[in-house]
Amino acid sequence: MTPDASPSLPSWSTAAFGTPPDTSSMELDALSGHLQLCTARRSGSIAVQFAAGSVLRFVWSHSVTSAVLLVLLLSAAASLAA
């Protein structure tokens, strides 16, 4: 089977198989579509990762502040009770 046996499904190879090492317009179109699809998927997952990281940083920073305030309040209450 030759690399160009299926006209509807382009295939990529690092070998030229005895033909000029040029890219057909169909291959370029398919590669462009593939790159756009991958970029769209990746940008969506990167946005989700970024949002999750932002939420975790926000929660962590506020939980530390809340814990410090709680310790201070309990210390003050203990010192007043003694």
Side-chain angles (χ1 to χ4, degrees):
M1 178 178 247
T2 61
D4 56 348
S6 176
S8 62
L9 299 173
S11 62
W12 293 271
S13 175
T14 56
F17 298 109
T19 59
D22 293 330
T23 313
S24 72
S25 61
M26 182 179 70
E27 290 173 327
L28 290 175
D29 287 341
L31 181 59
S32 174
H34 175 77
L35 289 174
Q36 288 174 354
L37 180 64
C38 287
T39 302
R41 285 183 182 165
R42 185 176 19 164
S43 65
S45 65
I46 288 174
V48 169
Q49 273 185 321
F50 179 76
S54 297
V55 168
L56 287 175
R57 282 188 298 276
F58 178 80
V59 168
W60 177 250
S61 65
H62 285 77
S63 65
V64 170
T65 303
S66 299
V68 168
L69 288 175
L70 182 63
V71 167
L72 289 174
L73 286 173
L74 290 175
S75 300
S79 67
L80 289 176

